[in-house]
């Protein structure tokens, strides 16, 4: 036997001895180690040249492995049932405690509670309609809870609450409504979690109010303050006389309104009428008001004025006027023929332009085309009856009543001037007519001829024919 073979034989003998020793120990009282059964389907590395297992083989292998693990865990649970139950209970308690902790960590006051607290804590804003809007008292309409979230403190930079285990803030918008206006008030409420209950922390952060008009301006207020609208128009054009003064005591009315809720504008058509005894003024205003969401009041954005706002309307002068003789001025004896004939003036039309205001019509009466009598006389030779003589009278003064003057057409006997006064300083409702006549004739002193002029001015009180006022 060669040395190599002897060495191999000795090695096998030693291995057998060690194996026998180990087997002997296992057969004794030493504890036996149980190993999990080896599944026949357990995966093994593929030998060189051997094909890799397919997907079905791999799935089956994994399933077998998992079944083996489950069986082992089941065996352990059966052998240690008490410990397993205890561990399960501990695990369930831990999960429950964790759930409670998570719930408390993320819990916030519910929306219904926040809405109720907002109604109680927030006071309806005060509203003043201002110069043109309606004064309204607001009532709460609803609460929109926009968000509720946990926070570090009661409010940004706020003081901590004693005993609080958490804080939350809620953002809300409270809506209010009143006559002609509505409002949305934003606010932030703060909550503290004390003894498991959410409590509202004093001190609500007001985020401001946004206003909205639900109807137009207060027309009574507009009519009371129409002078401000006229002054606004005066500032725009700078024309005299000022409208604010001209219509200081005018009658004002609203003829139309267009309220646009989407645009938050209101447009009024306003008429101002100033009526005098013998003239009227009429001004039409188109005023656009805009509503401010910031202060909840209406303001004037535009004023338009009619073109004839400063023009007199003299239609009250149209018609027939009867004159009753009052007196005569002359430098000698009086001729009172006008007492019997009286005076009649018919005003047929009026016109106004940039240069003049005129009346057109006709006059009937008596013209004195003669020298003064030695004594007052009821009539004289040379009295001329005027029958519907046409005239055009021009307005010469309008400060203290309306004064129109017309020169009648030339006559062979002389000339006459008609003056019509509607309103006087003493009586704004009085109407007076004057008919002034001049007559030129030849005379002589110590046989020296010279030219003389006789003049008469008859004054008449005018009233409408038949006593009817227009």
């Amino acid at each position: 036997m060669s040395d190599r073979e002897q060495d191999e034989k000795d090695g096998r003998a030693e291995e057998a001895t060690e194996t026998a020793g180990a087997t002997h120990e296992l057969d004794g009282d030493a504890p036996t180690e149980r190993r999990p059964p080896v599944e026949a389907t357990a995966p093994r590395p593929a030998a060189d040249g051997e094909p890799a297992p397919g997907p079905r083989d791999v799935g089956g292998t994994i399933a077998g492995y998992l079944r083996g693990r489950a069986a082992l865990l089941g065996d352990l649970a059966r052998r240690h049932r008490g410990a397993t139950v205890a561990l399960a209970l501990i695990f369930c308690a831990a999960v429950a405690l964790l759930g409670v902790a998570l719930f408390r960590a993320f819990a916030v006051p519910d929306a219904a509670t926040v809405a109720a607290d907002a109604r109680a804590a927030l006071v309806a804003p005060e509203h003043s309609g201002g110069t043109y809007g309606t004064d309204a008292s607001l009532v709460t309409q609803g609460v929109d809870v926009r968000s509720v979230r946990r926070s570090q403190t009661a409010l940004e930079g706020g003081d901590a609450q004693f005993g609080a285990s958490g804080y939350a803030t809620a953002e809300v918008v409270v809506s209010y409504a009143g006559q002609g206006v509505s409002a949305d008030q934003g606010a932030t409420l703060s909550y503290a979690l004390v003894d498991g209950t959410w409590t509202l922390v004093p001190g609500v952060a007001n985020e401001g109010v946004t206003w909205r008009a639900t109807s137009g301006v207060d027309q009574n207020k507009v009519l009371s303050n129409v002078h401000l609208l006229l002054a606004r128009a005066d500032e725009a054009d700078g024309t005299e006389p000022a409208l604010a003064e001209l219509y200081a005591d005018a009658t004002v009315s609203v003829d139309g309104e267009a309220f646009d809720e989407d645009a938050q504008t209101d447009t009024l058509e306003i008429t101002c009428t100033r009526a005098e005894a013998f003239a009227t003024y009429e001004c039409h205003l188109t005023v656009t008001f805009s509503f401010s969401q910031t202060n909840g009041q209406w303001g004037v954005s535009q004023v338009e004025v009619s073109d004839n706002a400063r023009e007199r309307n003299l239609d009250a002068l149209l018609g027939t006027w009867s004159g009753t003789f009052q007196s005569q001025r002359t430098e000698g004896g009086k001729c009172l023929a006008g007492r019997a004939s009286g005076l009649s003036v018919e005003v047929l039309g009026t016109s106004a332009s940039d240069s003049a205001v005129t009346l057109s019509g006709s006059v009937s009466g008596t013209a004195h085309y003669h020298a003064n009598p030695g004594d007052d006389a009821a009539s004289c030779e040379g009295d001329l009856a005027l029958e519907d003589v046409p005239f055009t009278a021009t307005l010469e003064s309008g400060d203290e009543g309306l004064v129109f003057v017309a020169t009648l057409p030339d006559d062979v006997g002389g000339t006459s001037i008609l003056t019509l006064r509607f309103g006087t300083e003493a009586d704004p409702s009085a109407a007076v007519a004057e008919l002034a006549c001049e007559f030129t004739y030849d005379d002589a002193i110590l046989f020296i001829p010279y030219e003389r002029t006789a003049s008469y001015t008859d004054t008449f009180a005018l009233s409408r024919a038949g006593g009817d006022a227009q």
Side-chain angles (χ1 to χ4, degrees):
M1 178 181 299
S2 64
D3 294 336
R4 179 178 180 182
E5 291 176 348
Q6 183 64 40
D7 292 338
E8 290 179 353
K9 183 178 180 180
D10 295 337
R12 286 193 297 270
E14 292 178 358
E15 181 178 358
T17 302
E18 293 176 357
T19 303
T23 303
H24 176 75
E25 292 177 356
L26 289 175
D27 292 339
D29 296 330
T32 303
E33 179 183 1
R34 292 181 178 270
R35 297 182 179 272
V38 178
E39 298 290 340
T41 57
R44 59 185 178 85
D48 293 341
E50 182 180 350
R56 179 171 299 178
D57 296 334
V58 173
T61 301
I62 294 175
Y65 176 78
L66 293 177
R67 284 195 296 271
R69 299 297 94 187
L72 176 60
L73 291 176
D75 182 61
L76 289 175
R78 285 190 296 271
R79 294 171 57 192
H80 305 282
R81 180 170 300 177
T84 301
V85 172
L87 289 174
L89 292 176
I90 293 173
F91 176 77
C92 291
V95 170
L97 292 174
L98 179 60
V100 171
L102 290 175
F103 174 78
R104 291 182 176 178
F106 294 100
V108 293
D110 61 89
T113 299
V114 173
D117 289 342
R119 285 178 176 270
L122 295 176
V123 179
E126 294 183 359
H127 177 260
S128 171
T131 305
Y132 304 108
T134 302
D135 297 323
S137 297
L138 302 180
V139 295
T140 304
Q141 294 293 299
V143 179
D144 181 13
V145 180
R146 297 293 177 85
S147 68
V148 185
R149 62 182 182 274
R150 295 298 290 262
S151 61
Q152 296 298 321
T153 58
L155 284 173
E156 187 68 25
D159 296 333
Q161 299 295 304
F162 178 77
S165 59
Y167 296 95
T169 57
E171 295 181 354
V172 300
V173 175
V174 184
S175 58
Y176 304 91
Q179 183 178 358
V181 69
S182 64
D184 290 333
Q185 181 177 11
T188 300
L189 280 64
S190 181
Y191 288 87
L193 185 61
V194 180
D195 295 333
T197 302
W198 287 107
T199 304
L200 181 65
V201 177
V204 177
N206 196 327
E207 305 297 336
V209 180
T210 300
W211 300 90
R212 183 174 181 81
T214 56
S215 63
V217 296
D218 186 330
Q219 294 188 10
N220 291 328
K221 280 191 174 182
V222 172
L223 295 179
S224 299
N225 293 289
V226 72
H227 61 284
L228 300 178
L229 304 177
L230 295 171
R232 173 81 174 257
D234 288 330
E235 293 175 0
D237 60 25
T239 306
E240 293 293 336
L243 294 175
E245 296 178 2
L246 188 60
Y247 291 94
D249 299 320
T251 300
V252 186
S253 63
V254 176
D255 300 327
E257 179 180 19
F259 170 61
D260 189 337
E261 185 169 359
D262 292 335
Q264 292 288 276
T265 61
D266 193 22
T267 302
L268 296 188
E269 299 292 337
I270 300 173
T271 298
C272 303
T273 303
R274 173 187 170 185
E276 298 178 342
F278 304 104
T280 58
Y281 294 86
E282 192 169 84
C283 172
H284 297 281
L285 299 175
T286 301
V287 185
T288 301
F289 300 88
S290 297
F291 188 79
S292 172
Q293 293 183 345
T294 303
N295 60 20
Q297 296 184 354
W298 287 99
V300 180
S301 58
Q302 187 177 17
V303 179
E304 297 179 1
V305 185
S306 56
D307 294 336
N308 61 346
R310 293 177 175 84
E311 295 178 5
R312 289 185 179 91
N313 186 324
L314 300 176
D315 290 347
L317 302 181
L318 298 178
T320 301
W321 298 82
S322 297
T324 301
F325 181 82
Q326 299 294 308
S327 63
Q328 183 183 84
R329 298 192 307 272
T330 186
E331 294 181 354
K334 296 180 179 181
C335 177
L336 304 178
R339 183 197 301 271
S341 64
L343 189 74
S344 176
V345 178
E346 185 173 7
V347 180
L348 301 176
T350 66
S351 66
S353 64
D354 294 338
S355 58
V357 177
T358 61
L359 297 179
S360 59
S362 61
V363 59
S364 298
T366 299
H368 304 285
Y369 295 148
H370 55 77
N372 289 95
D375 295 317
D376 293 347
S379 63
C380 296
E381 184 180 354
D383 288 336
L384 178 66
L386 304 177
E387 296 290 341
D388 297 326
V389 177
F391 70 86
T392 298
T394 302
L395 179 65
E396 291 192 351
S397 175
D399 295 337
E400 296 177 357
L402 304 174
V403 180
F404 293 89
V405 178
T407 299
L408 301 183
D410 289 342
D411 199 298
V412 176
T415 58
S416 296
I417 297 177
L418 176 66
T419 300
L420 301 174
R421 300 177 185 274
F422 296 98
T424 64
E425 183 178 3
D427 185 359
S429 63
V432 178
E434 293 179 350
L435 182 61
C437 305
E438 286 190 352
F439 171 69
T440 302
Y441 61 96
D442 294 330
D443 200 356
I445 297 179
L446 299 176
F447 304 103
I448 300 174
Y450 69 97
E451 192 174 79
R452 295 186 62 177
T453 299
S455 61
Y456 304 86
T457 300
D458 291 345
T459 301
F460 301 86
L462 294 178
S463 61
R464 291 199 174 274
D468 296 333
Q470 185 168 341

